[in-house]
Amino acid sequence: MADRITAGRLTDALVAVLAGVAATAGSFALAGWSRDAFVVAPVDARIVAATPGPIVAFAIEEFGSAGHILHIALSLAVVVGGLGLAAAAALAVSRRVGGPPLALALAGLFVFAGLYLPTGALQPAILGTLSAMVVVGVYVAALDPRLRADTDEYMPDDAARRQTLGLALGTVAYAGVGAALGSNVESVDPTEPLDSAQRQAAEDRMSDADALSFDSENLGGMVTPNADFYETDIATFDPDVEPATWELQVTGSVEEEVSMDYYDLTGMEPEHRFVTLRCVGEDLNGRKLDTALWTGVPIAAFLDRAGPSPDCGCVKVYAADDYYQVFPLEVMETAFLAYGMNGQRLPASHGKPARLLVPGHWGEINIKWVTEIELIDEQQQGYWEERGWHGTGPVNTVAKLYDEGITVRDDGTVELVGHAYAGLRGIDRVEVSTDGGDSWNDAELSEPLPDEDVWRMYRYEFQGGGEHELVVRATDGTGALQPEEQASPYPNGASGWVSKTIDI
């Protein structure tokens, strides 16, 4: 008797988990990766905010971009577990007072509350609730005689295993369908071009940049396409901010608080600037270094309208995804508020409707989805500084050497093509060694783009044959050679010479 009761309780627990899986899959099927509608999104945001800085640093160093997978997996587990507990509570209550009808009713009520209250999204909550109720309904109607009769007896083990396995497989299949449907949900607006005059001006400048690029079979040129530009955010779920409702406010220690909407922004005289961004958390030869042509307006004139007068000369900028950063006020004199990227309206994943670009600083400073600029009287730390990372300040010099930039021709000639970047200091020289650093030769540099905060391309050819230890290093525009010693990303960004061994 005791064994059968224990088996029944274990099966209850399994069914509760399956109900949680089904409810989460139902929510995702309609909401997709929406920050506002998918039930996992608010949980993920809270986990990201609550994770201690040392753990964040460890995850970034050890797992890189895969760190996002870890916290989204944890968030999924929390949601599935929480919704499963709701189903388990419904089963436990119905054991004592009401039987199958009450089990279904309570499961629906509890699961719906768990889905709807965090998001306020009705349709995903309804589908998720119905999904969980199907799982619970099948269980209480077909698999669990305790809810259909006044008995503590449980089904024979073999029958219980077969039927419970069938329910589990059905739930997993449904979750797969929900994942497929949710992945196809359009969570952002389609890409939209800038108006004709702005688009033409951007395309002309990008054509000029393409003419400066060194040809390479697999490596990109001077401008990175929007779809290939790296993305790094504090959470998995990007905010979906509509331009029609967006507003940027300047608050705090100012003579007059001012605001600007999207039409004010796009109605100002635009500028088109090439700006390179590099992620402070990338590995030395990582892939989070890209350049785009950004369309927008300088932010200094907008700040001047507010009459800033903070005692400490500090600015705190907020974003719609709860990110924030603190700058010295003078940094904002060269900052740029962008609403276009490579001739298109800014994609949602890159900060639609508007993002901040601060020349010469790490990518983390260039805040997406900007909503407020506050002039503050006391020095504060930004989001990543609170977690132990480097804040505002110049990027480290780097010359990259990717496999895609190495070409071996039929005649044995090896061509190396790559990018080098040093922020506002610019790149003055790139050297290549094919013998592990014993000897060095100058690489050919592309002509520089007309803006300051941009990378340059380099090209170098040599006769191959056998094994070569390739090393690249750059000298910035001030004459400073890129440091040789390699340092990990935390806390000040990766540095060092990039090396790679090839066998021709």
Side-chain angles (χ1 to χ4, degrees):
M1 176 69 70
D3 290 343
R4 291 188 174 187
I5 292 174
T6 300
R9 289 173 177 169
L10 291 175
T11 307
D12 280 356
L14 174 60
V15 169
V17 171
L18 294 176
V21 170
T24 306
S27 173
F28 184 72
L30 292 185
W33 292 102
S34 169
R35 180 183 177 91
D36 299 322
F38 183 34
V39 66
V40 175
V43 175
D44 184 63
R46 285 176 173 80
I47 288 176
V48 169
T51 304
I55 295 178
V56 174
F58 174 81
I60 292 174
E61 283 197 277
E62 295 298 321
F63 306 112
S65 298
H68 270 308
I69 298 175
L70 294 178
H71 69 71
I72 193 63
L74 177 58
S75 303
L76 278 167
V78 169
V79 169
V80 169
L83 295 173
L85 285 175
L91 288 172
V93 172
S94 63
R95 292 266 189 268
R96 291 177 169 79
V97 294
L102 184 61
L104 276 177
L106 290 177
L109 178 63
F110 294 166
V111 171
F112 179 80
L115 290 169
Y116 180 73
L117 293 179
T119 64
L122 183 60
Q123 292 181 343
I126 291 174
L127 182 57
T129 299
L130 292 175
S131 304
M133 289 177 70
V134 168
V135 172
V136 174
V138 170
Y139 178 53
V140 299
L143 305 185
D144 187 4
R146 290 171 300 175
L147 287 176
R148 291 183 282 112
D150 185 17
T151 177
D152 286 332
E153 293 292 331
Y154 192 69
M155 300 177 66
D157 289 343
D158 289 343
R161 290 194 186 101
R162 286 196 302 270
Q163 296 188 48
T164 305
L165 177 61
L167 180 61
L169 292 176
T171 304
V172 170
Y174 174 75
V177 172
L181 292 174
S183 297
N184 292 323
V185 171
E186 186 69 32
S187 59
V188 298
D189 291 337
T191 301
E192 299 177 6
L194 297 170
D195 67 45
S196 57
Q198 293 178 350
R199 184 175 69 254
Q200 187 60 55
E203 289 176 352
D204 290 344
R205 292 208 64 189
M206 288 190 293
S207 295
D208 293 341
D210 288 339
L212 301 179
S213 301
F214 289 147
D215 291 332
S216 177
E217 269 187 48
N218 302 307
L219 189 70
M222 297 288 276
V223 180
T224 308
N226 291 3
D228 297 333
F229 204 105
Y230 83 87
E231 299 176 25
T232 298
D233 308 305
I234 60 172
T236 304
F237 302 90
D238 294 340
D240 188 7
V241 184
E242 288 297 326
T245 58
W246 175 82
E247 186 178 58
L248 175 63
Q249 296 181 323
V250 178
T251 63
S253 296
V254 294
E255 295 176 4
E256 179 185 0
E257 293 191 357
V258 298
S259 64
M260 173 172 62
D261 64 24
Y262 189 70
Y263 305 102
D264 294 330
L265 174 64
T266 56
M268 298 172 68
E269 185 67 26
E271 293 185 10
H272 305 280
R273 297 186 188 178
F274 290 107
V275 177
T276 299
L277 299 180
R278 184 188 179 196
C279 179
V280 70
E282 73 153 357
D283 294 332
L284 177 59
N285 201 36
R287 303 305 181 99
K288 295 182 178 181
L289 173 69
D290 289 301
T291 298
L293 180 69
W294 308 89
T295 299
V297 297
I299 205 167
F302 183 62
L303 290 178
D304 289 343
R305 285 172 47 193
S309 57
D311 290 341
C312 74
C314 305
V315 179
K316 190 171 186 178
V317 183
Y318 300 86
D321 65 341
D322 300 326
Y323 185 62
Y324 50 89
Q325 190 54 256
V326 178
F327 306 87
L329 180 58
E330 61 265 21
V331 168
M332 304 300 285
E333 294 177 0
T334 58
F336 187 63
L337 197 60
Y339 58 84
M341 182 179 183
N342 291 335
Q344 304 288 327
R345 296 288 178 184
L346 197 64
S349 59
H350 290 287
K352 172 188 171 184
R355 71 175 298 167
L356 193 67
L357 294 172
V358 185
H361 294 264
W362 291 98
E364 61 168 335
I365 302 301
N366 298 266
I367 300 176
K368 304 176 184 180
W369 311 291
V370 176
T371 58
E372 182 183 355
I373 300 173
E374 181 186 13
L375 284 296
I376 56 178
D377 292 322
E378 295 181 358
Q379 180 64 52
Q380 299 178 22
Q381 290 187 323
Y383 181 93
W384 286 114
E385 290 171 289
E386 290 176 347
R387 289 155 178 80
W389 288 82
H390 175 84
T392 56
V395 298
N396 298 333
T397 302
V398 67
K400 301 283 190 176
L401 180 59
Y402 299 144
D403 291 338
E404 293 90 334
I406 303 174
T407 303
V408 182
R409 301 199 180 98
D410 293 339
D411 64 358
T413 301
V414 180
E415 180 186 60
L416 308 181
V417 177
H419 297 91
Y421 176 58
L424 292 173
R425 302 182 302 280
I427 293 293
D428 186 62
R429 184 184 188 187
V430 172
E431 298 170 279
V432 177
S433 174
T434 61
D435 54 14
D438 290 337
S439 62
W440 294 90
N441 293 285
D442 283 331
E444 178 187 2
L445 286 179
S446 65
E447 291 298 317
L449 290 169
D451 297 304
E452 293 181 302
D453 187 17
V454 289
W455 62 13
R456 293 179 76 173
M457 296 188 75
Y458 70 86
R459 178 168 59 194
Y460 181 75
E461 293 184 357
F462 68 97
Q463 282 299 121
E467 187 173 272
H468 295 270
E469 185 181 352
L470 308 177
V471 190
V472 293
R473 66 186 187 186
T475 299
D476 69 24
T478 70
L481 179 65
Q482 174 184 345
E484 176 181 4
E485 184 178 356
Q486 293 193 359
S488 65
Y490 183 80
N492 297 313
S495 62
W497 295 351
V498 173
S499 62
K500 187 180 296 290
T501 300
I502 62 172
D503 193 356
I504 309 301

